[in-house]
Amino acid sequence: LDSSVLSRRSRFLLSPRAWRCLPPFGQGTMGNSPCFQGVTQTPALRDAEVPTAGGATIDHVLTITLNGEKLEICRPDPRVSLLEYLRDTALLTGAKRSCLQGGCGSCLVVVQRYDWANHKWVAKSVNSCLKPLVSCDGMTITTVEGVGTERKGCHAIQERIAGNHGMQCGFCTPGMVMNAYALLKDQGKPTAQQCMDSFDGNICRCTGYRNLVNAAETFATDASPACQDLASKFSAFDADSEKLPGSMPAPQRLISKVFSAGGVTWYAPTTLSEVVALRTKLKRAAIILGDTAKGIRQAAYETFGGKAADVIYLGNVDELNFVDEKHGMLVLGSGMRIDDICRAVRARADKLAYAEDLAVALSWIAQRHIRSEAGWAGNLMITRTGFPSDLHPALLATDATISYVTDDAANEKEVAIADFKQGVVPANALLTKLSIPLRNSGTYRYYRVAQRKWLAHAFVNAAFRVDVDPETKTVTDARIAVGVYAYGPKRSPGAEAALVGHELSSHTLQRTITALHKDFDDEFTSEPQYKTIDNPKGKDEYRKSLPDSFLFKFFQEVQSLYGIKTWKPTELGMMKPLPLKRGTLKFEELPGREDKAQLSAKGLTTGKVRYTDDTQVPSLYGYLVLSTCATGKVTKIDTSAALNMEGVKDVITAADIPGANSCGFVPGEETLFVPVGGDIMCQGQQIALVVATTYRAAKKAAAAVKVDVEGANIGALLTIDDAIKADSKLAGAALTSIGNKEEVEAALARSDKVLEGSTYIIGQHGFPMEKQSVCAIPEERNGITLYSSTQAPDFCRAVVAGILGLHGKGSLLAVKCTRAGGGFGPKNSRNVPVAGAAAVAAHKLDQAVKVALEATQEHVAIGHRHSFKVQYKVGYKSDGSIQACKVEAWGNGGCTHDFSGFLFLEYAEAVPSVYGWGGNFCIDVHGMKLNLPTNTAVRSFGNPQGMFTTETIIEDVATALGKPAEEIRERNLLTKSTAITPWKQNMDFFNADMLYQKVKADARFAARAAEIEAFNRENRWRKRGISAVPLCYGHCYVYAAGTGALINIHGSDGSVTV
């Protein structure tokens, strides 16, 4: 141990409590975690090396309270996230490692901190994957393990989520528990709407949200009758008893602290003068508060990846943590979060006419777990470098102002937010205040269109505000601000001038739209992320039309508000989100189908259940190096720089494989690692695995591996049309055919009418919450135990045994899967390359190695649901009876076979569906080989694509005849007596025709269709639709039959295991 640390911190190092927060022994110096650089053989940071200001006292001890236990951590590593500390040092694995971007909610914890601006303790749900450990000084952290356990007793939230079937795979469940727990800590008894809104930052891939929302709503003051009934099934619980009491005393003020490790130094000053002095001395220091930006801008912003050696944290600076009112302005310091603005604005609804509209606009930013940490100042600063902010345009329309200082804390300057741009505000500015005018008049609206309401960058966003003279109905003041459109958010002077002094008429609207485009169109910025090879124009034309739509909506609302023009309420404003719960949910409690929770339900809600990455063994961490091009020959792999980096143990390449360099269905088709001299088949192909003592060290070193590629991307086939033109096919799945083509051609020639058409079916990522994860552990006799998140353990065992050269010794390799955090198909086969990489590393280094893909890696390397190009020819009568149909499809299998041969057969068999096709149907499916990651099994395995093809043909026929699609469906629906497939299989069990009619009757289809037609006639801008589609689904894969089960009946007590 470092003697200087011992002498100054012996009380910490020698206390039993402190030893409990040390990492496990036997893993290098002091365990896996880099959190304790001060107690390893790393030289201690000397106080003289730390820049200080004004003789401030400096401390190097981080104090937190974790699940009720106070911990003092000496010299923590500022590069470590709270999630890393919890999982790898404290060994609390309830918080999951998944997206690492603050986008899924699997890593949620509750953080209690003292709000000095409002003089009270607050509890917030926080994404621990984004929060730096060292930013937690003085805070109380609760993980799911601290909420309740099965042995000591579950919390009411855990009981109700478990008892109401709030999980399937369960990987997201701890995050769901912490989300609801934070709501009770913050609100006590919430409202039903607050329960609903609280889930905006949590993703559940398999369960759905209804049961989760219902469980949370059982605590609400206005719970629905169904949720009240649900609550009655559990022990009574007063949610107000969970709320943080307002009488909790304030803590001692924090002192300035400095933490340093690995070339990164974290400064946590407590005064503005300290911040300015540090900034003056450390010109390139990063200024942060929540540090949430790294979740969405990892490529451009990685504070701890080498971009910034010094970090200045503003969370403890008194002068920046305040909320005040001055001179008719709401003023917030730059130490306040975005969520603080929402709360402060809502609290002043009596002083700000559009307080609720502004608060709603800000509540669309990211999601609530990020809003509770992200600072407004950081959001505005990164907007100047291209970030598509929602906050900036929302504030532009309010005439907000920004205050800042540079090299003198006493010399504060103020600038209108409209002038907050490079060249006006210097690059070294430190934002200090945000001032929002408290106006008692005006109409304000915020608009945005994105792929999702939350956690999605806007295609275009805009904020509008007008004052209207109630007598003359003319506009007296106007602000038109547009965000993601031109070079940064800005106001439109021309549009504002077109409004002021004029009535809100159609003529004024047209002039305003014209003026806006005149101001902005020359600066329109195309968004490259929406451009693809299939769609090179992206969404540009659509995006250019959105400001017109926003202005039209705004005019409608203001006209209605001031009585200028009457509009139907259904035509006004943004489309309101429909309530999640619109029907009733019942369980048919028949014998053997009782409403019982799954056996592991409470284990999932308490975080006790472990997944692959939760395996608690001393281990190294691996991070894959993936190809960045689609084709080419690898000429050199330079690992020298990576091997010299902190914590790196080795870089595993093809040269280290003891057996076969093959990890796919077809031996030799897919390499585990592309060797020097080998050919790259797609982007995302494995080239090397960096192994290090920590996940962070492995990731950083992986970026230092240099791969030289000759002929990168030359001849790459990236679309189905490219593959068709090159006649590039998968040899083992080149053609799948059903039906007699000659007979169908003859029937088409006899048909009354013939229609030809085509369509494309895009792919879809499997998106399991738990990404591909493996833990490889060396065993005796050169064996390996693989803990793998897999849906096919025996397939994984067989292939990895070949990789390790265990020919005839396959029993030395054991594959174990306790459970998968979502499978959906990709974990049948695409876990094998990851498992093989971990196994080779563990074999070579004789140490356990964990490999878990990040979301970005998973999306690059793991294939999708198969995409298709389809052409068809269909013959039919005037009444809609189909006489014959011929389909030709080209399926995108990616670069190797994988499941494609099986899937193309499933697709071909799914297309006929429940229709007769006049007894004349044929289909050819061509298996195409592209330079894309291997497409694989994804939930329903070819059937969604088949059904899409079928119904496209049916609806095209209906459109050609001018008839409802349901009429065409019913006319061609098979019956029990005619239910024979094109491959001559009798479906004796067929009942789709009866079920279709029953569903239509039960759902009042005819009456609702009439109501919808009436609604559409009466509403110009809003339309409704309804559809009923019958289908059938093959439920047994013959090629996968032959499985078995071993049942043990234990003689001691009669218990049974399967």
Side-chain angles (χ1 to χ4, degrees):
L1 299 179
D2 191 295
S3 59
S4 64
V5 177
L6 266 177
S7 62
R8 286 154 41 201
R9 292 294 169 197
S10 58
R11 62 179 175 83
F12 160 73
L13 290 171
L14 301 181
S15 69
R17 181 180 67 222
W19 283 114
R20 280 198 291 274
C21 70
L22 287 172
F25 284 87
Q27 305 167 31
T29 52
M30 270 271 187
N32 270 2
S33 176
C35 301
F36 293 88
Q37 296 289 342
V39 294
T40 66
Q41 298 172 6
T42 305
L45 177 73
R46 309 301 178 191
D47 289 344
E49 299 170 359
V50 179
T52 60
T57 301
I58 299 295
D59 195 353
H60 306 295
V61 176
L62 178 73
T63 303
I64 63 173
T65 300
L66 177 59
N67 290 337
E69 186 173 13
K70 187 174 181 180
L71 304 176
E72 292 177 321
I73 307 172
C74 184
R75 300 185 185 278
D77 188 334
R79 299 169 297 177
V80 169
S81 69
L82 176 57
L83 178 66
E84 289 176 271
Y85 174 78
L86 293 175
R87 292 183 59 84
D88 302 335
T89 299
L91 302 182
L92 298 170
T93 56
K96 303 304 180 190
R97 186 164 17 218
S98 184
C99 74
L100 301 183
Q101 297 176 356
C104 70
S106 297
C107 66
L108 283 189
V109 298
V110 173
V111 171
Q112 293 174 217
R113 57 179 173 83
Y114 193 75
D115 180 358
W116 291 99
N118 296 294
H119 307 291
K120 63 177 182 179
W121 283 91
V122 294
K124 303 291 182 182
S125 51
V126 169
N127 294 108
S128 61
C129 68
L130 298 181
K131 189 168 182 64
L133 170 65
V134 289
S135 71
C136 298
D137 198 20
M139 299 181 185
T140 295
I141 299 159
T142 305
T143 69
V144 70
E145 293 91 342
V147 175
T149 67
E150 286 189 85
R151 286 186 172 86
K152 296 181 180 179
C154 292
H155 190 281
I157 292 171
Q158 295 166 320
E159 292 274 3
R160 296 182 187 188
I161 290 178
N164 196 42
H165 315 287
M167 73 288 291
Q168 282 189 43
C169 81
F171 193 82
C172 71
T173 306
M176 298 294 180
V177 169
M178 297 312 295
N179 175 63
Y181 183 70
L183 183 64
L184 299 194
K185 280 289 183 185
D186 182 44
Q187 297 290 334
K189 287 183 179 178
T191 65
Q193 188 62 50
Q194 286 174 328
C195 294
M196 185 83 72
D197 294 342
S198 71
F199 285 90
D200 67 359
N202 291 72
I203 292 176
C204 179
R205 178 67 174 86
C206 52
T207 311
Y209 293 87
R210 186 189 187 104
N211 291 7
L212 293 160
V213 173
N214 281 356
E217 192 181 320
T218 60
F219 302 102
T221 56
D222 56 344
S224 65
C227 290
Q228 293 178 33
D229 291 343
L230 177 61
S232 67
K233 298 179 181 179
F234 302 94
S235 300
F237 181 81
D238 182 9
D240 283 334
S241 66
E242 197 64 68
K243 186 176 182 179
L244 287 181
S247 59
M248 291 175 63
Q252 289 185 340
R253 292 275 186 175
L254 295 171
I255 63 172
S256 299
K257 295 188 178 183
V258 177
F259 307 113
S260 185
V264 175
T265 303
W266 173 284
Y267 300 89
T270 57
T271 66
L272 182 58
S273 60
E274 285 181 81
V275 177
V276 172
L278 286 168
R279 185 67 186 273
T280 302
K281 190 173 295 186
L282 306 169
K283 304 290 187 185
R284 296 180 60 81
I287 308 283
I288 70 168
L289 180 63
D291 202 28
T292 55
K294 66 172 177 281
I296 51 174
R297 308 186 79 210
Q298 290 189 1
Y301 175 88
E302 180 73 43
T303 300
F304 310 127
K307 297 289 180 68
D310 299 294
V311 181
I312 303 172
Y313 174 62
L314 301 183
N316 301 339
V317 180
D318 290 345
E319 296 102 312
L320 303 180
N321 282 277
F322 69 89
V323 178
D324 201 358
E325 288 184 37
K326 289 183 179 179
H327 312 299
M329 308 280 273
L330 169 63
V331 186
L332 300 98
S334 58
M336 305 305 291
R337 276 72 173 177
I338 293 172
D339 185 58
D340 294 323
I341 306 179
C342 297
R343 293 174 184 250
V345 165
R346 281 196 167 106
R348 289 159 178 81
D350 59 331
K351 301 176 182 179
L352 182 61
Y354 41 86
E356 184 59 25
D357 294 302
L358 178 57
V360 168
L362 302 185
S363 70
W364 288 0
I365 297 171
Q367 39 91 345
R368 78 184 192 107
H369 316 309
I370 287 180
R371 292 193 298 272
S372 67
E373 282 289 290
W376 63 261
N379 186 291
L380 296 183
M381 286 298 286
I382 62 175
T383 302
R384 305 203 315 173
T385 60
F387 175 68
S389 171
D390 282 292
L391 177 64
H392 199 299
L395 293 175
L396 261 177
T398 69
D399 286 344
T401 61
I402 305 294
S403 300
Y404 68 92
V405 298
T406 51
D407 53 1
D408 183 358
N411 185 19
E412 189 175 62
K413 299 178 181 179
E414 187 177 43
V415 64
I417 192 171
D419 296 324
F420 181 67
K421 59 187 73 171
Q422 293 178 347
V424 177
V425 177
N428 67 335
L430 173 69
L431 306 191
T432 54
K433 295 186 183 73
L434 169 66
S435 301
I436 302 173
L438 296 172
R439 303 168 55 91
N440 58 12
S441 65
T443 302
Y444 174 101
R445 293 292 187 272
Y446 180 75
Y447 302 95
R448 78 192 297 266
V449 171
Q451 289 173 310
R452 295 172 302 281
K453 185 171 182 179
W454 293 283
L455 283 173
H457 292 161
F459 298 152
V460 176
N461 53 7
F464 306 145
R465 176 179 62 81
V466 294
D467 281 334
V468 177
D469 187 316
E471 300 295 331
T472 64
K473 311 297 185 184
T474 58
V475 177
T476 58
D477 192 25
R479 294 293 180 269
I480 303 296
V482 179
V484 187
Y485 191 90
Y487 300 144
K490 56 185 65 178
R491 283 167 48 187
S492 173
E496 293 173 1
L499 283 168
V500 174
H502 297 87
E503 293 184 355
L504 291 170
S505 63
S506 298
H507 179 64
T508 302
L509 172 61
Q510 292 292 346
R511 290 193 307 109
T512 304
I513 290 173
T514 301
L516 185 146
H517 284 284
K518 185 176 181 180
D519 284 344
F520 291 155
D521 279 4
D522 287 343
E523 299 182 14
F524 177 80
T525 54
S526 181
E527 294 290 335
Q529 67 266 34
Y530 305 127
K531 295 183 177 181
T532 65
I533 292 173
D534 293 323
N535 181 23
K537 292 184 179 180
K539 299 182 182 293
D540 286 356
E541 293 305 314
Y542 173 62
R543 292 179 58 238
K544 287 180 180 179
S545 72
L546 286 174
D548 309 11
S549 175
F550 294 162
L551 282 168
F552 180 79
K553 292 173 183 288
F554 185 60
F555 265 62
Q556 282 184 301
E557 292 200 70
V558 181
Q559 286 175 339
S560 179
L561 185 65
Y562 285 92
I564 299 170
K565 188 173 181 179
T566 301
W567 293 92
K568 296 177 183 178
T570 55
E571 300 257 326
L572 291 176
M574 299 290 283
M575 188 173 288
K576 304 295 189 296
L578 293 173
L580 183 61
K581 298 176 297 181
R582 305 184 70 196
T584 57
L585 183 66
K586 289 184 178 180
F587 284 91
E588 294 184 19
E589 295 189 20
L590 302 175
R593 299 181 184 178
E594 291 85 0
D595 182 4
K596 292 181 178 179
Q598 60 167 285
L599 296 177
S600 58
K602 289 187 178 179
L604 292 166
T605 59
T606 58
K608 193 66 175 177
V609 167
R610 293 199 175 107
Y611 296 82
T612 298
D613 195 36
D614 302 336
T615 306
Q616 294 192 346
V617 295
S619 65
L620 300 172
Y621 292 83
Y623 195 92
L624 287 166
V625 177
L626 304 175
S627 62
T628 57
C629 56
T631 61
K633 185 179 292 293
V634 175
T635 58
K636 183 181 180 181
I637 303 174
D638 185 357
T639 63
S640 57
L643 288 169
N644 288 323
M645 294 179 73
E646 175 190 13
V648 174
K649 292 293 186 181
D650 204 347
V651 179
I652 308 300
T653 65
D656 299 307
I657 299 174
N661 188 8
S662 175
C663 62
F665 272 59
V666 179
E669 182 183 34
E670 180 180 2
T671 58
L672 179 66
F673 294 118
V674 181
V676 174
D679 292 325
I680 291 172
M681 297 188 296
C682 68
Q683 184 183 8
Q685 200 170 353
Q686 295 179 179
I687 293 177
L689 178 75
V690 176
V691 183
T693 54
T694 68
Y695 182 87
R696 182 175 292 276
K699 178 180 179 180
K700 184 174 181 179
V705 175
K706 296 180 180 179
V707 181
D708 294 340
V709 179
E710 182 181 277
N713 293 318
I714 294 176
L717 304 176
L718 302 178
T719 69
I720 294 177
D721 287 320
D722 288 343
I724 294 172
K725 186 176 180 180
D727 195 29
S728 175
K729 295 184 177 180
L730 295 166
L735 180 63
T736 302
S737 295
I738 290 177
N740 188 311
K741 190 180 299 185
E742 292 181 358
E743 291 180 1
V744 173
E745 290 282 9
L748 285 168
R750 298 191 302 268
S751 297
D752 295 5
K753 298 174 182 289
V754 175
L755 176 68
E756 295 186 52
S758 64
T759 188
Y760 283 87
I761 304 167
I762 62 171
Q764 179 189 26
H765 198 278
F767 199 78
M769 292 296 291
E770 177 200 32
K771 310 311 175 188
Q772 303 288 355
S773 304
V774 179
C775 177
I777 305 172
E779 303 288 2
E780 59 183 280
R781 298 171 57 206
N782 289 324
I784 294 282
T785 295
L786 276 178
Y787 287 90
S788 180
S789 180
T790 177
Q791 293 171 264
D794 191 54
F795 176 69
C796 178
R797 185 202 60 79
V799 177
V800 176
I803 292 170
L804 295 177
L806 297 176
H807 305 292
K809 300 179 181 179
S811 60
L812 294 178
L813 176 64
V815 176
K816 298 182 179 182
C817 179
T818 54
R819 54 180 43 80
F824 312 124
K827 289 183 180 177
N828 271 295
S829 60
R830 303 318 301 161
N831 72 301
V832 174
V834 182
V840 171
H843 174 80
K844 180 182 179 182
L845 300 175
D846 200 22
Q847 286 185 265
V849 176
K850 284 184 179 181
V851 181
L853 299 190
E854 287 186 2
T856 49
Q857 289 181 304
E858 176 112 351
H859 279 267
V860 168
I862 307 303
H864 297 65
R865 188 189 297 278
H866 290 64
S867 55
F868 285 85
K869 176 182 179 179
V870 182
Q871 292 180 347
Y872 69 85
K873 192 174 183 180
V874 59
Y876 57 96
K877 296 180 180 180
S878 297
D879 65 357
S881 299
I882 294 177
Q883 297 169 293
C885 183
K886 173 187 173 184
V887 177
E888 188 168 16
W890 294 264
N892 171 12
C895 61
T896 68
H897 283 77
D898 197 77
F899 277 105
S900 291
F902 304 135
L903 183 134
F904 294 150
L905 175 60
E906 289 292 324
Y907 168 80
E909 292 182 347
V911 172
S913 190
V914 294
Y915 305 116
W917 307 103
N920 299 293
F921 179 89
C922 69
I923 181 171
D924 285 344
V925 183
H926 306 279
M928 310 310 293
K929 182 177 181 180
L930 285 76
N931 296 115
L932 295 172
T934 293
N935 284 328
T936 188
V938 178
R939 216 169 189 174
S940 294
F941 199 58
N943 282 267
Q945 299 99 311
M947 295 164 191
F948 183 91
T949 301
T950 306
E951 298 306 326
T952 296
I953 298 171
I954 293 292
E955 295 198 1
D956 284 355
V957 170
T959 301
L961 291 172
K963 296 179 180 290
E966 286 74 26
E967 182 179 330
I968 308 301
R969 292 183 179 115
E970 291 183 40
R971 188 169 294 279
N972 293 281
L973 198 61
L974 292 168
T975 64
K976 189 175 182 65
S977 61
T978 62
I980 302 174
T981 69
W983 54 95
K984 309 306 179 186
Q985 175 186 351
N986 287 313
M987 293 188 284
D988 298 329
F989 47 81
F990 192 85
N991 61 357
D993 54 336
M994 178 271 292
L995 289 175
Y996 185 64
Q997 295 302 329
K998 175 174 170 46
V999 167
K1000 286 186 65 179
D1002 291 350
R1004 297 177 46 253
F1005 183 88
R1008 290 166 68 183
E1011 292 167 5
I1012 287 168
E1013 288 180 6
F1015 179 90
N1016 291 341
R1017 285 193 299 269
E1018 296 169 3
N1019 291 272
R1020 181 179 180 184
W1021 301 110
R1022 290 190 176 171
K1023 303 297 180 183
R1024 293 174 177 169
I1026 189 169
S1027 180
V1029 180
L1031 57 89
C1032 62
Y1033 183 80
H1035 63 82
C1036 179
Y1037 302 132
V1038 176
Y1039 48 79
T1043 56
L1046 175 65
I1047 300 175
N1048 297 309
I1049 302 175
H1050 300 275
S1052 58
D1053 60 356
S1055 60
V1056 177
T1057 58
V1058 181

